[in-house]
Amino acid sequence: MKSNFLMDFTVDKKTNTVNVKREFGASLSNVWSAWTEPEILDQWWAPAPWKARTKSMEFKEGGRRLYAMVGPEGEEHWAIADFTSITPKTNFKYLDAFSDSEGNLNVDFPRSDWDVNFSEQGDSTFVDIAIKHKNLEDLEQIIAMGFKEGFTIAMEGLDAIFAEKQK
């Protein structure tokens, strides 16, 4: 499902940052819930045909989400999100990394620092994301792994959830 909503994806190699600005046709409250509640996150966070499965999540400063992206053949890629800052319905920040099923960091892959901002304009909600990497090599590794394509598919999955709610 292709959407007509804005998706601006830029890579800044000077600051080792991916910037994504994405529009959703839903209220700020619904978009915030979709990004912060594991029951909804699991419906869209992984790019189809993959699925996300949250093992545990404490959405609070100092809390963590431990989840797997599960492939069509049942393969699992585990990851963690360590929440560092939360301003309800406005912003949250977290450190993202690949891990094992117990949440132990996988040091073979880069860790990224996510800054996720939410704003409502008319009937749309905008999510503005800055994903900072430690160095250019880490940034390039994530891009080479297909981050842009996967994240775009995941965003379209979230659009589908909001479209279903409006029926």
Side-chain angles (χ1 to χ4, degrees), residues 64-77:
R64 168 180 277 187
R65 176 183 183 214
L66 172 61
Y67 65 98
M69 288 202 245
V70 183
E73 310 294 318
E75 64 273 41
E76 296 177 343
H77 294 284

Side-chain angles (χ1 to χ4, degrees), residues 24-36 88-91 117-127 162:
F24 295 98
S27 70
L28 175 62
S29 179
N30 284 343
V31 175
W32 177 263
S33 292
W35 281 78
T36 61
K89 297 194 177 163
T90 303
N91 169 277
N117 290 284
F118 298 80
S119 61
E120 199 168 36
Q121 295 171 24
D123 293 335
S124 293
T125 297
F126 289 85
V127 181
F162 293 138

Side-chain angles (χ1 to χ4, degrees), residues 37-54:
E37 297 173 15
E39 316 72 58
I40 306 172
L41 269 168
D42 283 353
Q43 296 176 45
W44 68 271
W45 186 251
W50 289 68
K51 299 280 184 210
R53 185 179 71 235
T54 299

Side-chain angles (χ1 to χ4, degrees), residues 20 33 37 60 63 74 79 88 104 114 124 130 134-136 147 152:
V20 181
S33 292
E37 297 173 15
K60 66 176 190 175
N104 299 303
W114 288 57
S124 293
K134 189 169 58 180
N135 54 47
L136 183 57
F147 177 73
T152 300

